[in-house]
Structures are given as structure tokens and as C-alpha cells.
Amino acid sequence: MSKKLSANTIDLLNRPTIVQSAAVGGKKEGEGPLGSYFDIINEDSLFGEDTWEKAESTMQKTVVNKALEKANLKSTDMDFIFAGDLLNQCIGSSYGLRDLDIPFIGLYGACSTMAESLTMASIFADNGLANYAMAVTSSHFCTAERQFRFPLEYGGQRTPTAQWTATASGAAIVAPNGDGPFVKSVTIGKIRDFGITDVNNMGAAMAPAAYYTIKTHLEDTATQPSDYDLILTGDLGQVGTDLLIDLLMRDNIDISKQHNDCGLLLYDLEKQDVHAGGSGCGCSASTLCGYILPKMRQGKLNNILFIATGALMSTTSVQQNQSIPGIAHCLNISTQR
Amino acid sequence: MTQNSGQPSPQEYSKMTEKYSKNTKSYKTIPKAFLIGGLICVIGQVLLNLYAMAGFDEESAGMMTSITLVFCAALLTGLKVYDNIAKHAGAGTLVPITGFANSVVSPALEFKAEGFVLGLGAKMFIIAGPVIVYGIVASVVYGVIYYFIGLFL
């Protein structure tokens, strides 16, 4: 059973387990610092398909099948799948997962989708609604560029604050019982908008949401940053990270020792020329599912906060000069019950 | 209950964002744009001279130069090279006629996936379109002014 602790935070009393996870990445992700932690690296950005959208769907299907294979499970063992991506109408997920025959719940939380889907899967597992629930999300550099920005071959320049959408996907399977890592509690964030209008500065747009969710989680669970080995945000990048630490410091919460960001881990910022860091649903999904969760299983990390952040704008809202709302959801994942 | 004790006002947050957002390294980007943009113009001049030597009159040589530059930019875009040059050159590749060619060819390539009519055909001018529209509007305004000045001179 789950227990609501506060307006935002839910305590998952049965401590559902993330039984298995998998990550798939593209060529650039394979060349990055986390390259060796991916289950599958696909050198071909098209994943053998003829369009980028089909490629993203195939990537999502691949990661789901890989997670099932690693867990020694079949798709029919899954009771629910929670999935989403960045594409209009979430076609990355719906086309990628349509052949799997699993009850499907599509989600949109922009780049926060890994935390959102994992939260939902954990709540379902905790309340006995699923023996197995899966959370999956993806992003693809090429689909994101053509939908949100410019054609790939357009000769434009990125600003220093721009981030690089990861071509990556991550999937995690949650069960009510197991040996861990356990999802102990989740904090559902509120939409936060501090008035940022620059679409090339997503980190700045999302930092307020991360700030709110982390602060709320620490207060609701009566914990300190030092209680955690790692406080991992999704894709704030360099600018968002600096802002988040500054915002929390104003409330005398110092997370600088524990904090890291998937957008800073996934790439070598200078060598791979990704400016302020990585972004996209797949950035936090692959970092969590490919790098962090295995580390927890190996006992190298014990108690973490995972806070994926999303920017909830669309090209239309941006063209109409609206500011960018941010969202962040937080999960406390621990090897101890 | 979360107190928003440290929460900044939008103005304050805007200042904080500015503080942490790195600026473009203009000392590097501007010279690069100047050199590469300048190089394209030099190539244009060389072409112009060559066409003139080949016997084209001034107007035709100019036209042939533009056609050649547009062709090269389109080809380099198709070969996926142009954007890699532009990453360094910035306005150096954007301002010359090559930038215009790239802005038409790149969406044509990108949106071919949605078909020749609704993809390639409809989206080809998605970047260059506004330039053409306002370019024509500006030339109309210029023409009207030119006409009226002509009446008094």
C-alpha cells in the first residue's frame, strides 16, 4: 500500500523493487563517458529504418525487449507499461510498443518522463495492481531537431546554453517484491515557471521545478542532502545545475557535494561539443537504467534521489512568446528497505 | 508545507540566469565568421573573373557566379558537409548566397520523409520563406520611394 505523506509525496510502504533495467544508445552516446554502460549501442542512428521517427520507435522497442530478456520475462508477463517520449502525440512510444500487447498508458512529461513513468509503475506495483509494471521512455536527436528546431543539415549555430538531445532510451521493470533497488518514496512535482522564454536555455527553465521538488522531498521525508549518496537530476545541464545549487543555497540547503546531472554525465561537454550538456527523455532514462541502477545492484550506490526534469513548452507556445513551464518528479531509490 | 523563502522574483531569476549562462565567445566566432565569409566572397570574385575571361559579359558572369555558389552550397548540404562548416563560420556562411541555398536545401532533404508534396514541396521554404516575403515587401517599399523621389528630381 502507498501512503500519502503530504501534498506531493507518497510513501511506498511495500517498497517495490526495480527488478531489471536496460539502456540503448546511439553512436554519440556510445562515444561518451557512459558508453560502456549501455546494453546496446547502435552505430546507425536510423536503427535500420527509413525515417527518424521509426528509428526512435524501434529504439524503444529494442530497449523494452532487452529489459525483458535481462529479467528473463516475456512481454505477456507485464501487467502495464508506462511510456512516453518527446514527439507530437508520443508516437515514439505508441508505434514502438504497439506490437507488444501490453496494457499501455501513454505519458507526457517532456524530459521528466522517466521519473514520471517509473513513479507510476512503482505506485501500481506497490498497491498490488501489477506483478510487473514497466517504465520506458526515449528521445532521438534527429526527431527532436526536426520537430523543435531546424532541419539537420541547416547551417545554424547553437548558443552556449543550448543542450544536445540524447539519442537514447531506457526501460525499467518494477515488481512488488524483490531484492532491490527499492523505490521508497516519490514526490510529484508542481509546474514551476520563473519566466524563462529562451528555448535555447532549457536548464534555466527547468531548474526552478527541480528546486521545488527537491526541497519538498527533503522536507516531506525529513531528510538531509547528506543522507543520500547521490542527488541526480535529469537534464539540467551546466546552466541549470548552477542555478539549482544556487536556488537551494538561498534556503540553506547545500546539495553541491551529492548532486550530479545526467546531462553532464552522458557526454564529455567539451570534446563532444554538446555545449551546456545532454537533454531529452533518453538522457536521464539511459543514465538511470544503464549506469545508476546497475551500480546500485553492485552495491556501489545505496541511497539516491532521482529527479528528472521536463520543459513543458511546445513550438506553438514558444512562437506565441509564452514563457517555459518546468516540471520535476523525484524518486527515492535505495538498496535498503 | 514548502515555504518559498528563497524563491527569487522573475527579475532576480533572470539576473541569476544571466550570471550562469555563458556568452558566445565573440573573440573567436567573429574572426572565424569574417575569415570564412570573406573566403566565400573571394571564391565568388575568382569565379566572376574566370567567367569574364571565358567571354561572359558582366551581367551574365555575375549570374553564373551566383549559380555556381548556390550549386556548391546545395551540393555540400546534400553531402552533409555544409552544416559542419557553418558550425564554425556562423554568419560567415549564413550571409552570402550560400546560406540561402542551404536554408532551402536542408528542409527539402529533411521533410522528404513526409512525401514530395506535403513534405518536400510544402516545407522547402520554411526557413527561406520569411526572407523572400519580407525581401519582396522591402523591395516594393523601396520601389515606391524611388518612384516618388524620381518625380521631384
Side-chain angles (χ1 to χ4, degrees):
Chain A
M1 274 292 283
S2 303
K3 187 184 161 210
K4 200 158 178 275
L5 287 182
S6 70
N8 304 69
T9 303
I10 300 168
D11 196 350
L12 307 181
L13 297 172
N14 285 337
R15 308 289 190 240
T17 286
I18 304 172
V19 289
Q20 209 29 283
S21 61
V24 173
K27 183 166 180 277
K28 195 181 180 86
E29 292 65 34
E31 289 164 352
L34 303 186
S36 60
Y37 296 96
F38 282 87
D39 293 284
I40 300 168
I41 286 290
N42 208 322
E43 294 286 322
D44 170 22
S45 313
L46 274 168
F47 288 75
E49 300 290 346
D50 57 0
T51 72
W52 301 120
E53 286 74 16
K54 285 186 195 169
E56 180 163 352
S57 292
T58 301
M59 178 166 66
Q60 213 173 98
K61 191 176 170 176
T62 308
V63 81
V64 167
N65 285 328
K66 188 70 196 174
L68 288 170
E69 181 199 313
K70 282 172 80 178
N72 232 335
L73 292 166
K74 296 189 295 290
S75 67
T76 46
D77 294 326
M78 297 296 117
D79 292 298
F80 296 100
I81 189 161
F82 297 86
D85 56 87
L86 292 177
L87 302 185
N88 292 337
Q89 288 76 44
C90 289
I91 55 169
S93 303
S94 47
Y95 284 76
L97 308 177
R98 68 178 159 184
D99 297 331
L100 289 173
D101 242 14
I102 307 171
F104 167 78
I105 299 163
L107 302 170
Y108 186 80
C111 307
S112 75
T113 307
M114 192 65 224
E116 188 183 17
S117 58
L118 194 54
T119 293
M120 293 310 296
S122 303
I123 292 173
F124 266 60
D126 189 48
N127 291 284
L129 299 171
N131 285 325
Y132 291 107
M134 193 184 259
V136 57
T137 177
S138 65
S139 58
H140 195 302
F141 176 77
C142 301
T143 56
E145 284 297 303
R146 76 201 299 261
Q147 178 175 305
F148 292 104
R149 287 173 278 269
F150 289 110
L152 288 178
E153 300 310 321
Y154 177 65
Q157 271 182 326
R158 303 168 158 271
T159 66
T161 57
Q163 291 174 245
W164 186 277
T165 308
T167 301
S169 185
I173 302 169
V174 188
N177 302 300
D179 305 326
F182 306 101
V183 181
K184 292 175 75 173
S185 60
V186 293
T187 298
I188 314 279
K190 289 183 185 171
I191 298 168
R192 283 291 171 264
D193 189 339
F194 282 10
I196 295 294
T197 51
D198 181 3
V199 274
N200 291 310
N201 203 344
M202 292 294 186
M206 299 187 295
Y211 153 74
Y212 171 80
T213 303
I214 293 172
K215 184 172 149 68
T216 306
H217 186 87
L218 293 174
E219 282 173 5
D220 289 351
T221 55
T223 51
Q224 309 285 329
S226 55
D227 295 332
Y228 302 96
D229 304 327
L230 176 67
I231 296 175
L232 184 69
T233 46
D235 56 352
L236 292 178
Q238 192 56 62
V239 181
T241 293
D242 291 344
L243 281 165
L244 172 67
I245 288 170
D246 194 339
L247 284 168
L248 284 166
M249 277 305 267
R250 295 159 67 105
D251 292 336
N252 296 315
I253 302 169
D254 182 4
I255 61 161
S256 56
K257 283 191 191 70
Q258 292 81 23
H259 179 265
N260 214 327
D261 184 73
C262 300
L264 299 176
L265 287 167
L266 189 61
Y267 300 109
D268 185 321
L269 262 51
E270 286 297 318
K271 273 191 207 148
Q272 294 188 287
D273 196 27
V274 295
H275 295 218
S279 70
C281 307
C283 176
S284 59
S286 62
T287 306
L288 180 77
C289 295
Y291 179 58
I292 301 295
L293 290 173
K295 261 194 156 185
M296 295 189 81
R297 280 187 208 103
Q298 293 158 9
K300 288 178 187 161
L301 281 172
N302 289 309
N303 194 24
I304 70 155
L305 290 183
F306 173 67
I307 311 102
T309 48
L312 300 175
M313 84 303 165
S314 81
T315 48
T316 306
S317 72
V318 168
Q319 282 164 4
Q320 294 176 355
N321 296 324
Q322 293 216 63
S323 59
I324 303 168
I327 186 74
H329 305 298
C330 173
L331 293 101
N332 174 209
I333 307 172
S334 174
T335 52
Q336 308 294 318
R337 275 176 184 274
Chain B
M1 183 66 198
T2 298
Q3 296 296 314
N4 293 326
S5 49
Q7 185 169 319
S9 67
Q11 291 79 11
E12 257 182 289
Y13 189 63
S14 168
K15 273 195 197 124
M16 286 169 72
T17 303
E18 231 167 84
K19 181 176 137 196
Y20 290 116
S21 302
K22 274 188 247 166
N23 286 321
T24 305
K25 293 172 185 160
S26 322
Y27 63 92
K28 254 165 76 179
T29 53
I30 293 174
K32 263 161 106 183
F34 176 77
L35 286 175
I36 301 175
L39 183 69
I40 293 171
C41 297
V42 170
I43 293 170
Q45 187 60 47
V46 170
L47 286 170
L48 189 71
N49 291 2
L50 287 176
Y51 281 123
M53 277 164 65
F56 286 92
D57 62 52
E58 202 180 323
E59 197 176 316
S60 309
M63 198 172 66
M64 288 303 289
T65 303
S66 300
I67 291 171
T68 312
L69 286 174
V70 166
F71 172 79
C72 291
L75 185 70
L76 289 174
T77 303
L79 294 173
K80 308 189 174 183
V81 175
Y82 195 88
D83 61 318
N84 294 327
I85 303 170
K87 195 165 81 180
H88 298 286
T93 44
L94 186 78
V95 175
I97 199 165
T98 51
F100 196 74
N102 168 257
S103 75
V104 176
V105 176
S106 59
L109 285 171
E110 185 70 60
F111 297 105
K112 205 177 73 188
E114 282 82 38
F116 283 101
V117 177
L118 296 175
L120 191 152
K123 299 228 171 120
M124 197 168 183
F125 291 97
I126 201 162
I127 302 167
V131 182
I132 296 171
V133 169
Y134 294 109
I136 291 171
V137 170
S139 64
V140 168
V141 172
Y142 174 78
V144 170
I145 295 169
Y146 188 77
Y147 171 77
F148 281 106
I149 289 176
L151 289 182
F152 299 106
L153 292 177

